[in-house]
Amino acid sequence: MADSAVELPGRLAILPFRNKVLLPGAIVRIRCTNPSSVKLVEQELWQREEKGLIGVLPVHDSEAAGSLLSPGVGSDSGEGGSKTPGGSAGESTKQDTKNGKETIHWHSRGVAARALHLSRGVEKPSGRVTYIVVLEGLCRFSVQELSARGSYHVARVSRLDMTKTELEHAEQDPDLIALSRQFKATAMELISVLEQKQKTVGRTKVLLETVPVYRLADIFVASFEISFEEQLSMLDSVDLKVRLSKATELVDRHLQSILVAEKITQKVEGQLSKSQKEFLLRQQMRAIKEELGDNDDDEDDVAALERKMQNAGMPANIWKHAQRELRRLRKMQPQQPGYSSSRTYLELLAELPWQKVSEERELDLRAAKESLDRDHYGLTKVKQRIIEYLAVRKLKPDARGPVLCFVGPPGVGKTSLASSIANALNRKFIRISLGGVKDEADIRGHRRTYIGSMPGRLIDGLKRVSVSNPVMLLDEIDKTGSDVRGDPASALLEVLDPEQNKTFNDHYLNVPFDLSKVIFVATANRMQPIPPPLLDRMEVIELPGYTPEEKLKIAMKHLIPRVLEQHGLSSTYLQIPEAMVRLIIERYTREAGVRNLERNLAALARAAAVKVAEQDSALRLGKEIQPITTTLLDSRLADGGEVEMEVIPMGQDISNTYENPSPMIVDEAMLEKVLGPPRFDDREAADRVASPGVSVGLVWTSFGGEVQFVEATAMVGKGDLHLTGQLGDVIKESAQLALTWVRARAADLNLSPTSDINLLESRDIHIHFPAGAVPKDGPSAGVTLVTSLVSLFSHRKVRADTAMTGEMTLRGLVLPVGGVKDKVLAAHRYGIKRVILPERNMKDLAEVPAPILSGLEILLVKRIEEVLDHAFEGGCPLRPHSKL
């Protein structure tokens, strides 16, 4: 920024500025290539540590021959022409001093400048050097005398700008104040217009508020593209009033030019928009192609799409809708925003299987049953229901059968059963995963008004299989959610209802589609999360967990051959005996399905694969064949000898010549090496109930039945009950109910001498359900909680071979619970020998396999007293004549 108080020396080195003017406050970049200018920069600026001031004088060319002096200098230089040689021309100016045809005119006024930045270019082979100088104008001066100093000029100068005192006095002039306000108003209007186009005008606003107005005039004008004469006029305007008047006129002119340009631009854009211009150009291009005989690719594509739609077999009402969309597409240009979405929509209509179906072969129930038995071991009840379903389809192919929903823990074969149904019916199979789906649009599709819209998963799946009657598996139907985007489970109501799905309306498709030919099969781990209206539309078939014997058969018949094939092995490389598989089932897996069992078998296969891959790739010869060593062969060839070869006839058997590698047989040592130490043993329950206050319960989870230990302890306190283990509200209420029942019957259970004594006097009770990271809830832990509390207060241990389940009432009745089969199977897996069940659950024991029941003692009870009598060794002693 220019400084009004800068001290100007008497003499300044002069840098010519050809056909341009530097104004105070402005910053310019000058490229110095002329030898005289280069010499000036080197001596006056480059070699000084503190950059001094130089003078910048405007120069311009003239064709008039005559004196080499500018008329503005006159005879007051005192040294005449001898002190102003014509060799100091402006930058890039050619001078002929011999013939005098070109004269350089120096202006009599200039601007003192300070160098802000200097940079020196690379010296050329000719010795020529270029300097880049960035200068800031400081103040105006007048040339009193111009003389040469070597190859450049110096001048005796006098300051023209006012001093600080003079400026303070001039600012009180009313005319100057009025001119200042007018200039600022015009400048602010210009800045407001530029703000709409540029983002850097904010700094200009700051200058307008902080810099004195007499400096702003020079700064604003310096930023405009104006003629050289107008620049000289601003340089000569020493008087502040004249300077502000000219600056205001130039700023206003620049503002009007911008406004006129914007007005013209808007008018032109209004008359001919971009789309209209493209339309005209494309029309011309189309006419040119017709003249040349070239084919229009876009027209061919649309025609091909129309033929594809005609062959899709759409119903009449949908074909009418498709023709309307096709006519709309023909009127659009490929570059228009809606062209691609309309074309994608029409392609979907053409690809959907409106009439195409899979041809069903004659159903052979015997073959279907053999296929189910071959692919799935056990599951007798489930396979029988599938055969019944297929029998109905055979007698009445167009029957609208129920939607089967397989419910069971992971790894029991739910998905493979659905695939078997498709194979039996000779229909295509498609799986749609609904786990984690929270958006209704995943089922019904997005409306076409949204960017990136697409059809729902059902319509998209039908497009992929290209038939309208596949077997469609809705996997993990119990894991759908709901949020602000809708409820997918509610959208499935229409899909699974035979009376509604024949006119299923996808939001993206926006026309009805018939889903009545699709056979829907669903899978779930639990029934509880499924909404009751949706559950009512399906027939639930429960798949319980496998028994150890069933797992053993599945592993030997299915898992081991599949694992060996997946790892590139065979029985000649790896053999897993039946005893080792049984050991894996008992000690390394406790699950309802067989997925972890398959993972453990795969770990053994990987270990065997490493051994096989590390063996020598060369075949080992038998004992009767002597191998030819490399040394012997090399020596024979080196001596020029001949190598004798024996030709073996093709009919001769040489299979016995090579030794087969001995297979790797899995034993207990290999199990521990590969799988690690056993994870489970039969002593877990005995170790856990070794102290009073611990009981063994049976619970049901989405992964099947599980054994749940309940621990209780007492401590000094105020009679509070503490519950831990991520418990739900229902199980918390069961704990409170159990404690209330035990306190009310304390005297009858010999837990206190009289009924007046409070069991919780000066002590708290803490009940914990281990595995605190797993959430737990449900009513079936009531009898387990009572047993744990009685064991705590009586200081008697619960039997380690006994597990129990059942809901209780405040009066001591034991109510039935669900998941009995899974719970009994879990007890068998854990080595439990005695299971206490509610008497009203006796009917559920019919689903438990007979081999499992034969190895367990089932104890049926009606009241809590019977539970306690079976849970403790020697029974639970009650007081004589106690009325429980």
Side-chain angles (χ1 to χ4, degrees), residues 166-423:
E166 293 173 346
L167 287 173
E168 291 177 355
H169 182 267
E171 286 176 353
Q172 306 299 324
D173 189 353
D175 294 338
L176 184 62
I177 294 175
L179 286 172
S180 300
R181 290 176 179 175
Q182 183 181 359
F183 174 78
K184 284 190 174 182
T186 308
M188 183 59 71
E189 187 177 357
L190 175 63
I191 292 174
S192 301
V193 173
L194 293 177
E195 267 185 338
Q196 303 174 4
K197 298 182 177 182
Q198 303 176 5
K199 297 181 179 179
T200 58
V201 295
R203 290 177 293 181
T204 310
K205 278 188 175 181
V206 175
L207 293 177
L208 199 61
E209 297 173 356
T210 57
V211 178
V213 68
Y214 58 87
R215 289 299 181 201
L216 282 174
D218 290 329
I219 294 174
F220 266 77
V221 173
S223 63
F224 299 156
E225 291 290 338
I226 57 178
S227 65
F228 181 64
E229 287 73 15
E230 289 175 328
Q231 295 180 32
L232 288 177
S233 177
M234 277 297 296
L235 179 63
D236 292 337
S237 300
V238 180
D239 185 79
L240 291 182
K241 296 180 183 180
V242 177
R243 191 187 310 171
L244 284 177
S245 298
K246 291 183 178 180
T248 305
E249 179 183 354
L250 292 173
V251 171
D252 184 67
R253 190 176 70 184
H254 190 66
L255 172 63
Q256 295 303 323
S257 64
I258 293 177
L259 294 177
V260 171
E262 285 187 353
K263 186 177 181 181
I264 295 174
T265 302
Q266 293 175 359
K267 186 176 180 180
V268 172
E269 289 179 351
Q271 292 176 352
L272 186 62
S273 63
K274 182 180 179 181
S275 60
Q276 289 175 323
K277 184 185 297 183
E278 290 181 354
F279 176 76
L280 292 177
L281 293 175
R282 293 189 184 282
Q283 289 294 108
Q284 295 174 1
M285 186 182 299
R286 182 174 298 178
I288 294 172
K289 285 185 176 182
E290 290 178 357
E291 291 295 328
L292 295 175
D294 293 343
N295 294 325
D296 195 333
D297 296 337
D298 293 335
E299 288 294 328
D300 289 346
D301 290 346
V302 174
L305 179 60
E306 184 177 10
R307 290 192 298 270
K308 190 175 180 181
M309 292 169 59
Q310 291 173 350
N311 298 330
M314 303 180 190
N317 59 332
I318 299 175
W319 171 244
K320 184 177 179 181
H321 170 77
Q323 282 183 317
R324 185 167 59 251
E325 287 288 333
L326 187 62
R327 287 194 298 270
R328 179 171 172 267
L329 181 69
R330 291 184 186 276
K331 297 178 182 179
M332 300 171 64
Q333 296 298 321
Q335 282 71 30
Q336 285 186 250
Y339 182 87
S340 60
S341 61
S342 295
R343 184 181 180 88
T344 304
Y345 174 71
L346 289 175
E347 289 177 351
L348 174 64
L349 289 179
E351 293 175 0
L352 282 178
W354 300 96
Q355 304 293 337
K356 187 178 179 181
V357 295
S358 298
E359 295 183 4
E360 295 187 15
R361 60 171 177 258
E362 184 68 21
L363 270 176
D364 187 352
L365 294 182
R366 181 175 299 177
K369 186 176 182 180
E370 291 176 356
S371 176
L372 288 173
D373 291 337
R374 184 175 58 255
D375 297 338
H376 304 85
Y377 184 84
L379 305 176
T380 304
K381 183 179 177 181
V382 177
K383 291 189 288 188
Q384 181 61 32
R385 180 62 186 89
I386 294 176
I387 293 298
E388 294 172 357
Y389 179 82
L390 296 177
V392 175
R393 301 288 304 186
K394 180 178 181 180
L395 297 178
K396 190 175 182 181
D398 59 344
R400 296 180 179 178
V403 177
L404 301 181
C405 180
F406 299 126
V407 178
V412 296
K414 301 185 294 295
T415 303
S416 59
L417 282 173
S419 179
S420 298
I421 295 176
N423 293 333

Side-chain angles (χ1 to χ4, degrees), residues 818-849:
V820 171
K821 181 179 179 180
D822 291 321
K823 294 177 180 179
V824 173
L825 292 177
H828 183 268
R829 287 198 303 268
Y830 274 77
I832 301 295
K833 303 301 182 184
R834 304 166 77 239
V835 177
I836 301 175
L837 295 175
E839 189 178 42
R840 292 168 60 181
N841 280 122
M842 183 173 63
K843 62 183 184 298
D844 299 317
L845 295 176
E847 300 178 359
V848 182

Side-chain angles (χ1 to χ4, degrees), residues 634-656:
D634 291 343
S635 62
R636 291 287 301 274
L637 292 175
D639 297 338
E642 296 182 355
V643 180
E644 298 180 357
M645 294 182 292
E646 179 183 359
V647 179
I648 302 176
M650 294 182 62
Q652 183 175 348
D653 186 13
I654 61 171
S655 60
N656 296 327

Side-chain angles (χ1 to χ4, degrees), residues 26 40 70 283 330 501 604 668 677 733 754 799 847 876:
L40 182 149
S70 172
Q283 289 294 108
R330 291 184 186 276
N501 60 14
L604 296 174
E668 290 192 33
E733 293 179 355
T754 63
R799 293 185 57 161
E847 300 178 359
C876 182

Side-chain angles (χ1 to χ4, degrees), residues 725-743:
Q726 283 207 48
L727 308 180
D729 293 336
V730 177
I731 203 168
K732 289 180 180 179
E733 293 179 355
S734 297
Q736 189 65 53
L737 179 65
L739 181 60
T740 301
W741 188 89
V742 172
R743 292 177 63 188

Side-chain angles (χ1 to χ4, degrees), residues 321 345 348-349 352 354 440-448 453-462 494-495 501 503-515:
H321 170 77
Y345 174 71
L348 174 64
L349 289 179
L352 282 178
W354 300 96
E440 181 187 0
D442 283 332
I443 307 299
R444 292 187 179 275
H446 303 82
R447 300 191 183 276
R448 291 173 57 201
S453 58
M454 63 184 71
R457 299 193 181 192
L458 302 179
I459 297 297
D460 184 66
L462 291 175
E494 180 186 0
V495 175
N501 60 14
T503 57
F504 174 70
N505 191 3
D506 185 275
H507 288 161
Y508 181 85
L509 202 60
N510 204 26
V511 291
F513 192 90
D514 186 7
L515 295 180

Side-chain angles (χ1 to χ4, degrees), residues 28-32 41 45 115 117-119 131-135:
V28 296
R29 179 175 174 269
I30 300 178
R31 185 170 179 266
C32 300
V41 171
L45 298 178
H117 178 73
L118 286 175
S119 61
Y131 283 93
I132 303 297
V133 186
V134 179
L135 298 174

